[in-house]
Every structure is written in structure tokens, then in C-alpha cells.
Amino acid sequence: MPNVQVHSLFTDFDINLFKGGKHYRLYEKLGSHLVEVDGIAGTYFAVWAPSAKSVSVVGNFNSWNEEEHQLNVRWDSSGIWEGFIPAIGKGEVYKYKIQSNNNDIWTEKADPFARYCEHPPNTASIIWTAEHDWQDDAWMGYRKDKNGLDKPYSVYEVHLGSWKKNAKNKFLTYKEFAIDLVDYVKEMGYTHVEFMPIMEYPYDPSWGYQLTGYFAPTSRFGSPEEFKFLVDAFHQNDIGVILDWVPSHFPEDAHGLGFFDGSNLYEHPDRRKGYHTDWKSLIFNYGRNEVRAFLISNAIFWLDQFHVDGLRVDAVASMLYLDYSREDGEWEPNIYGNNENLEAISFIRELNEAVYSSFDGVQTIAEESTAFSGVSKPVEHGGLGFGMKWMMGWMHDTLQFFQKEPIYRKHHQNDLTFSATYAFTEHFMLPFSHDEVVYGKQSLVYRMPGDEWQRFANLRLLFGYMFTHPGTKLMFMGGEFGQTAEWNFEQSLDWHLLQYGGHKGIQDFVKDLNHLYKSAPALYEKQFSPEGFQWIDYGDHENSVLTYVRKGHDEKNDLIIACNFTPIPRENYRIGNPKKGKLTEVLNSDDAKYGGGGNLNTKIKSSTKPAHGYKKSIEITIPPLGIVILK
């Protein structure tokens, strides 16, 4: 009996789909799969390596000898090598030893479709099945409603390696996160959690954004079935799970996708399109059908096999433009003479069409920082087809404003009001992400000016303004309790800070903001529509005050918001009242329970005196560096 028996999981139809770039479930065919052939248990292997002269499976089972288990190349010019190896089972480590058509080139590669990988710095793939008895039927049944664009969407962004460490300063496991992290996210009132990349990556300082195991949850925290257990735990607590996903680039590590079979297989062969100078990484060849099928299959894989509810797509801007971070002469225009990467744009549209046609109740979210038009517009209407787009301009302008000393803010109020002019051109998510608390930018609380009291008051005001601004929300871990140090991926968040009143106050305020967001239809029902927002007055620069209304379907749920961006309380401050009936204060960032000064509005005076174009008005106290929300 030969060491490798002829066997295939591919049909002719599979091969035709693969060659055409339309096979979106390649993970069911390529990679390693435990099977029985003629009653004999073993493993079927299949790998795409069209420039190979020979491909062998090597591992401990054959002393890493490439002569022992050579795969068979298919006869159909697909470039797929495959075969069945008897008596090789779950848990065996392996790689592919590939001899290129150029006899001088040998590569030894991890399986691009491996479901499990060795713990870094080891780099081999592991034959695996991830059995899990899902208990999230209820969530999967109603998540379409939970995940809708007219529903509250408040995301807690997490780097698993540094959210919290155990007593020995080691990583928590997926199963430990299923208790500690799930309980915390639920208590804080977030609707979703977003994980920075959990696909296998070799280098910790990359934070997971340089992937080598696209189909394998990182073994740093446990096994694939344990990651399924974590997702399941979130779902059983009505919390959606979003994964950061990186189709924009990949590292040149020797065991990774680069120069896979001795040729530019996954990366674009033209370095002007195939290499990121910023990240020292390779760029996928979006014009190659098989590469498109690999990437779309990977997106589908996480939604299908792991019940994930959304993908936040990293570095979309770098994909859209041929001249991204390149000087003149370092890029070549497209056939129309401009700088758009037509192949990447076509791929993104195909990706989003495949995702949304395959799954109910999921979202794709673009991290996209340019003015590219129609990012969150449906493909059939000429857009890229994402569900949402990060509102990077709002984030930049808002933080720039808040960093200014209050005495100067009256000259820069347009930094805040400008966002209203374009807030509804896309389905925007408002992000305060990990990128804003690294590389010398300081933590959010330490970017605020003033003494300690003013820093915390400013941060509460910042978060209050964020939650009452149109759009969905994203907050990076640590911001919710005023982490003072910049984020360090090598150590736990500073949870000990919660023993101090200011930090506990921030945490309690964010918790109440989340619960208000979820319970107040005016904050989410029309969060992507101009009908959901109305200025009362954006022109009081001298007092640095903004007043506006958030609206839902039923006007009785409307909210009036007043923000004071100075440390001077605005007492008896008159604003036009567009609403009938008695107004009550539902949230005040200056409440003593949050660490504020206690300037509350227990009785709101209503008057027939006109103001701001309305026949009636009210007088309220807007506390120093505070936000007041009235219903």
C-alpha cells in the first residue's frame, strides 16, 4: 500500500468554482480533514501550489522526511495537490515541504487552511476538529433584530492578551474569558464585543494584525473548540461578537503565505501592488481568482463555523488606493489613469455580497479613513456594500477639540459641529479605538486638559457627547474606567485604579450611558438618518455650549441634550423647547455618583418666552464640563 493513497474531496464543480474565484467554502475541501477511506481512518490533505514540482506532508510521524508522503497533483490544471495518508490522526503536527519547478527553491509552509496551529514561536500546523455543542439557538434566531442598523450597537474593543492576566501574569484562557470577560461586558451594558485579531499570528507586537493562520484561532488562549465556547457564552448572554479581519496584507514569515510555492502565489507579483512599505508586509493579489476565493472563504468560515456576528475589516483605505502611502513613481495608475485599485474594489464588493447573501443578521464594518464615496452603500447602488464605516474624521476632530484648554474652545467649536454636515452620508460608527491610546498619544483621560477633576469631567463629557451623537459606538478597553497609562499589549489593564473614585465614576457613567442608549429609542432608531438629529443651537461659541435633539419614531421618546465645554457652570441657561409636556433629567455627567459636583436639574423651569426659534423655552443648569440629557 502506498504511503499516500489517491483520494479527493473535490468534485468537478468544486474545481470550476475554485478556478473562477466563486468557491466560498474552500475550508471544506482544502487543508487537512479526518476521513475514512475503505474503512481505514486517516487524514486527507489538499493544498494549492500550482508552481510546485513536488509537495510532501512532513511531520513527526515521518521524521520530517519529504520522501515519505508525497501528495498527488490533480490532472485538471487546478494546481491542487492532494492525497490520503492512513493512520495519521488528530493532534499530529505537520507542514508542507514544497519543491518549486525551479529545482533550487524549496519552501516549508504551514497549511493555509489549518484549523489549529502550534503555540508561537513554534510554527507547524495541527490536524484538528473543533467539536462543540452550540447552545446559542435563541441568539441565532433573533440576532437579525439585535444586529439591525436601527438597533443600539455599542462595542467593547478587546485585545485578549492584555485585557487581564492571571495571578502568575499569564494569559487567561478562552474558557476563563467566557466567565470573566462575558460577565464584565454584560454588566457594563455593551451590546457587542470586538476582538482584535484572534487568527493565529507569530509576533505579539503586531497585536495580531500580521496573520499566518487565517483559519485557526490563536493557540495562545486555548483550542478552537474553546474559542467556540467563548463565542457561545457571549451569545447566551445576548452579546454579539465581532472579529477584526485582515484581508489587506500578510507577513513575509518563512512558514506563511509569502512565496508559498516558490512563486508569488498569494501576493501580487508587482511590488508596487504587492508590498506595504509601512508594515513591511505583502499585499494579496485581488485580481487572482483563487486568492479571492481564499479570502472570501475565510470570511465565511468565521461566520459559519464560529457563529460570529460581524467582521470589522482592517485597513480598507490601503486596499482602495494604488498610491496609499506611496510616493510619485512608486505606483502605477489603473486603466482609467486614476489611483483606485479596481481589483481590490471589485473584491470588496464581492466579499460583502457573499457575506450578506449567506447570513442573516451579520454586519461588516470598514475601517476606512478617506472620503471614498459609498463605503456603506449597497453594491447594487454603486457602493462597496459594508454595513458600517468608522467615522475617523469625527474621532480626529473631537479629540483635537477636547485636547484644547477650555478657554480656547470657543474659537474651535466648528470642530464639533462640522460632523453634522456629513454624519448621514454613511452608516457611521464612532470609534475610540486602540489606535488612539498608543505611540505617545497618551490615554484618553490624560489627553484631557486641566487638573485631575477637570480631566475626569472632560472624559465623562466626551463619552456623553459620543453616545448622543448620531452613529453606533466603539470604545477600546480601559477607556471605560479612565485607564491612565497608554495601552501596553504586554501587560494587563490597570484594574486597581477602580479603587479610586474618579475611575469608578467614569466606569459607572459609561455603564449608565450604555443602558440609556439601549433603552432610549431616540438614540438608535434613526441613528443613520438626518431625521434623527436636530440642532437647537450650535452658535453659542462664547459660552462653548451645544444644544440639540435626538429623535426616534415616536416623538414622545425624543431627548434634548445640552453640553457645556468649559469649567464654568451655565446657570439659568435658556434654550428653546421644541417639545410639549414636562421635561425631566435622565442623565447628568456631573452627578456626584460619577465623581461630579452634583449640579443637577431637579426642577426644570418652563417658560412661554421664545428662544432659538421656538415659542417656548426652558431654563436649566449645564454643569461645568458637563452634559445634561432631558426627556
Side-chain angles (χ1 to χ4, degrees):
M1 182 181 294
N3 290 342
V4 177
Q5 298 180 29
V6 174
H7 185 71
S8 185
L9 297 182
F10 285 91
T11 65
D12 290 344
F13 184 59
D14 286 323
I15 296 299
N16 288 333
L17 286 176
F18 177 54
K19 288 180 177 179
K22 301 298 182 182
H23 201 310
Y24 298 153
R25 299 192 182 231
L26 284 174
Y27 53 89
E28 295 176 348
K29 308 290 181 175
L30 287 166
S32 59
H33 300 270
L34 296 171
V35 296
E36 275 193 15
V37 176
D38 297 330
I40 299 172
T43 301
Y44 164 79
F45 294 89
V47 61
W48 179 51
S51 291
K53 183 177 182 180
S54 68
V55 178
S56 301
V57 182
V58 294
N60 293 331
F61 54 87
N62 62 14
S63 301
W64 300 87
N65 179 0
E66 67 272 12
E67 301 294 331
E68 291 291 315
H69 295 93
Q70 294 191 3
L71 298 179
N72 308 299
V73 66
R74 288 184 62 89
W75 61 92
D76 49 23
S77 72
S78 62
I80 293 172
W81 297 72
E82 62 183 353
F84 171 72
I85 303 179
I88 299 297
K90 182 176 179 178
E92 289 281 2
V93 299
Y94 70 100
K95 284 186 177 179
Y96 295 119
K97 190 73 172 284
I98 303 171
Q99 181 186 18
S100 175
N101 278 321
N102 178 347
N103 290 340
D104 295 331
I105 299 177
W106 287 83
T107 59
E108 191 170 290
K109 296 292 187 177
D111 189 341
F113 285 84
R115 303 294 183 90
Y116 196 17
C117 301
E118 285 189 302
H119 193 297
N122 295 328
T123 57
S125 303
I126 304 174
I127 298 170
W128 206 256
T129 55
E131 303 300 330
H132 177 71
D133 182 17
W134 289 95
Q135 303 295 314
D136 64 349
D137 287 355
W139 167 266
M140 297 298 282
Y142 57 63
R143 76 167 176 186
K144 185 176 182 179
D145 180 62
K146 290 275 189 178
N147 262 0
L149 294 176
D150 60 348
K151 295 298 188 294
Y153 212 95
S154 178
V155 181
Y156 187 56
E157 185 191 22
V158 174
H159 177 261
L160 285 177
S162 59
W163 181 72
K164 187 183 287 186
K165 299 286 184 76
N166 65 20
K168 296 180 180 179
N169 201 35
K170 301 292 186 183
F171 293 139
L172 298 185
T173 66
Y174 290 129
K175 286 206 164 185
E176 289 171 325
F177 285 121
I179 299 172
D180 291 10
L181 182 58
V182 171
D183 287 349
Y184 182 74
V185 173
K186 184 176 184 179
E187 179 193 354
M188 288 299 296
Y190 293 101
T191 63
H192 293 73
V193 66
E194 177 180 321
F195 295 132
M196 292 167 66
I198 53 83
M199 303 81 182
E200 194 59 81
Y201 57 98
Y203 187 51
D204 284 350
S206 79
W207 310 335
Y209 289 98
Q210 299 270 11
L211 305 181
T212 51
Y214 271 76
F215 290 83
T218 178
S219 56
R220 286 167 175 81
F221 314 112
S223 66
E225 57 266 36
E226 288 169 338
F227 182 63
K228 288 182 177 180
F229 182 85
L230 173 58
V231 175
D232 204 347
F234 274 112
H235 286 173
Q236 291 175 53
N237 285 276
D238 273 358
I239 298 164
V241 178
I242 304 165
L243 299 186
D244 273 13
W245 185 60
V246 191
S248 49
H249 63 114
F250 58 93
E252 289 190 284
D253 292 61
H255 68 288
L257 297 177
F259 209 56
F260 188 81
D261 60 356
S263 72
N264 301 118
L265 188 61
Y266 288 91
E267 68 271 24
H268 200 287
D270 185 343
R271 294 285 275 192
R272 293 174 296 180
K273 296 180 181 179
Y275 185 72
H276 264 304
T277 54
D278 288 354
W279 304 321
K280 305 294 186 289
S281 57
L282 302 172
I283 303 171
F284 285 104
N285 185 352
Y286 303 110
R288 190 164 191 169
N289 285 343
E290 297 90 342
V291 173
R292 292 163 76 106
F294 168 82
L295 287 170
I296 295 175
S297 291
N298 186 241
I300 297 292
F301 171 78
W302 294 103
L303 299 165
D304 171 33
Q305 297 289 299
F306 287 83
H307 291 200
V308 166
D309 308 293
L311 298 172
R312 176 268 196 185
V313 183
D314 183 62
V316 172
S318 75
M319 300 169 66
L320 296 176
Y321 295 103
L322 296 165
D323 61 345
Y324 180 87
S325 198
R326 297 182 191 274
E327 302 295 331
D328 290 344
E330 295 178 346
W331 63 282
E332 183 180 43
N334 63 30
I335 57 173
Y336 302 112
N338 65 40
N339 65 344
E340 292 182 353
N341 189 331
L342 301 179
E343 293 173 341
I345 291 169
S346 169
F347 159 72
I348 289 169
R349 287 174 171 153
E350 185 179 347
L351 161 74
N352 282 317
E353 286 184 312
V355 166
Y356 283 105
S357 64
S358 300
F359 300 94
D360 273 341
V362 300
Q363 296 290 349
T364 59
I365 305 163
E367 187 221 4
E368 204 286 310
S369 55
T370 75
F372 192 95
S373 178
V375 172
S376 57
K377 184 183 291 186
V379 172
E380 60 266 29
H381 296 148
L384 292 182
F386 286 100
M388 286 176 262
K389 167 182 170 171
W390 276 19
M391 198 175 189
M392 307 290 275
W394 170 88
M395 177 272 298
H396 178 269
D397 290 345
T398 300
L399 289 177
Q400 191 174 56
F401 176 87
F402 269 84
Q403 284 176 255
K404 289 179 168 61
E405 293 287 344
I407 194 172
Y408 302 118
R409 288 178 176 175
K410 63 183 178 181
H411 304 297
H412 300 276
Q413 195 149 304
N414 61 306
D415 285 353
L416 294 184
T417 58
F418 177 64
S419 64
T421 65
Y422 67 94
F424 307 107
T425 58
E426 300 275 5
H427 297 154
F428 280 120
M429 172 176 280
L430 313 181
F432 287 138
S433 74
H434 64 274
D435 280 327
E436 303 317 308
V437 291
V438 289
Y439 298 143
K441 294 178 182 177
Q442 298 185 298
S443 63
L444 287 182
V445 70
Y446 272 10
R447 291 170 79 168
M448 303 294 110
D451 58 24
E452 182 174 288
W453 188 93
Q454 290 189 14
R455 287 183 190 274
F456 283 106
N458 266 304
L459 189 59
R460 293 193 301 272
L461 174 57
L462 173 68
F463 289 152
Y465 168 68
M466 172 196 195
F467 272 78
T468 56
H469 188 288
T472 55
K473 329 296 175 187
L474 177 136
M475 187 182 299
F476 182 56
M477 63 181 198
E480 82 280 6
F481 63 82
Q483 166 98 3
T484 52
E486 273 195 340
W487 172 53
N488 182 344
F489 72 91
E490 293 182 302
Q491 64 188 43
S492 168
L493 296 179
D494 294 330
W495 294 102
H496 66 275
L497 293 174
L498 286 168
Q499 66 186 299
Y500 303 109
H503 296 279
K504 186 66 169 64
I506 291 285
Q507 186 188 52
D508 287 342
F509 184 61
V510 170
K511 186 187 304 183
D512 287 351
L513 279 172
N514 271 323
H515 289 297
L516 176 66
Y517 180 38
K518 292 192 292 187
S519 64
L523 292 178
Y524 61 79
E525 286 181 339
K526 297 181 179 181
Q527 58 193 344
F528 298 127
S529 167
E531 297 175 354
F533 178 85
Q534 176 185 332
W535 286 115
I536 295 175
D537 183 22
Y538 59 83
D540 190 0
H541 302 265
E542 201 59 39
N543 289 310
S544 293
V545 169
L546 289 178
T547 50
Y548 47 95
V549 183
R550 290 298 310 277
K551 301 178 178 182
H553 296 311
D554 189 338
E555 66 175 23
K556 75 170 184 276
N557 294 322
D558 290 1
L559 299 176
I560 294 175
I561 295 101
C563 302
N564 174 11
F565 299 100
T566 74
I568 302 168
R570 305 300 176 188
E571 298 176 340
N572 302 315
Y573 189 90
R574 184 175 299 278
I575 62 174
N577 182 12
K579 308 306 300 174
K580 297 177 181 179
K582 181 181 178 182
L583 283 167
T584 57
E585 186 175 78
V586 294
L587 198 67
N588 186 322
S589 66
D590 198 51
D591 197 315
K593 68 182 179 180
Y594 306 134
N599 291 279
L600 306 181
N601 291 280
T602 53
K603 292 183 179 179
I604 298 172
K605 300 176 183 177
S606 185
S607 169
T608 55
K609 187 175 182 179
H612 302 129
Y614 298 103
K615 295 179 180 179
K616 296 181 179 181
S617 61
I618 56 173
E619 286 186 9
I620 60 172
T621 294
I622 315 178
L625 299 171
I627 180 171
V628 171
I629 303 175
L630 309 173
K631 182 178 179 181

